[in-house]
Amino acid sequence: TKGNMAVNKATVTITAEDKNKIYGDANPIFTATFNGFVNGETLATSGISGTPSLTTAANAFTGTGVYAIVPATGSLLSDNYSFAFQNGELTIGKATVTVTADNKRRLFGEANPDFTAAYTGFVNGESLASSGISGAPEMYSYANPASTVGNYDIFAGTGSLSSSNYKFNFVSGVLTVGKT
């Protein structure tokens, strides 16, 4: 008598590759690796056609953190292989906001004016008010009322600035001390 012999498909594991991006950027192109081929086959020689779907819940507006990249069957087809899936990770890093000390003027002998700063580099249509940035930069100059006529740096630093989605770059301004 003749018997039936069942041949099971070999399993190929499709792993979403880890990716990085900056807050506000579009998601990168997701890619995957294929492992578990038998008989010396490769993806090119395996008879697998189509591509896996690779998705994440994250987008340009998603805050910093780590998010799953989820592979699925998509349009993959194979007579000889079944598919298993392994998630990857999308790591979203902080975007950079530049804090530039505003230029100021004062006369010799006067106290320094209040120092202020301008912020640039916001993403997703955000502004300082809507960005989630809290606190204020530290702002100072080595000039004092006795400083001679001339130009002095106005420095900006982190101070109490804080943000979950932005890091900070600082640019100095100029304090011009004029004649009385």
Side-chain angles (χ1 to χ4, degrees):
T1 66
K2 293 185 178 182
N4 290 333
M5 185 169 103
V7 177
N8 293 325
K9 290 183 175 187
T11 300
V12 167
T13 300
I14 299 166
T15 303
E17 294 183 300
D18 294 343
K19 298 290 181 173
N20 296 297
K21 74 172 198 131
I22 300 298
Y23 173 67
D25 287 352
N27 286 341
I29 295 172
F30 297 131
T31 55
T33 59
F34 293 69
N35 292 299
F37 294 106
V38 296
N39 300 326
E41 292 180 334
T42 65
L43 180 58
T45 62
S46 68
I48 294 174
S49 64
T51 57
S53 68
L54 299 161
T55 60
T56 185
N59 60 42
F61 296 93
T62 305
T64 60
V66 179
Y67 302 87
I69 302 170
V70 181
T73 302
S75 63
L76 289 172
L77 295 173
S78 176
D79 291 334
N80 297 322
Y81 291 97
S82 62
F83 305 108
F85 300 98
Q86 180 69 41
N87 290 353
E89 294 181 338
L90 173 63
T91 301
I92 302 175
K94 292 183 176 188
T96 301
V97 163
T98 299
V99 181
T100 303
D102 294 325
N103 295 334
K104 297 288 182 169
R105 299 183 64 80
R106 72 165 175 85
L107 297 177
F108 172 78
E110 293 180 351
N112 288 339
D114 289 336
F115 296 131
T116 57
Y119 297 74
T120 57
F122 293 104
V123 298
N124 294 330
E126 294 175 346
S127 66
L128 181 58
S130 65
S131 67
I133 292 175
S134 63
E138 173 187 21
M139 311 223 24
Y140 63 95
S141 177
Y142 292 117
N144 60 50
S147 296
T148 60
V149 170
N151 292 327
Y152 299 86
D153 286 329
I154 301 171
F155 299 100
T158 303
S160 63
L161 285 174
S162 178
S163 174
S164 59
N165 291 324
Y166 291 98
K167 61 185 177 180
F168 305 101
N169 178 49
F170 299 97
V171 177
S172 298
V174 176
L175 171 64
T176 300
V177 176
K179 294 181 181 181
T180 54

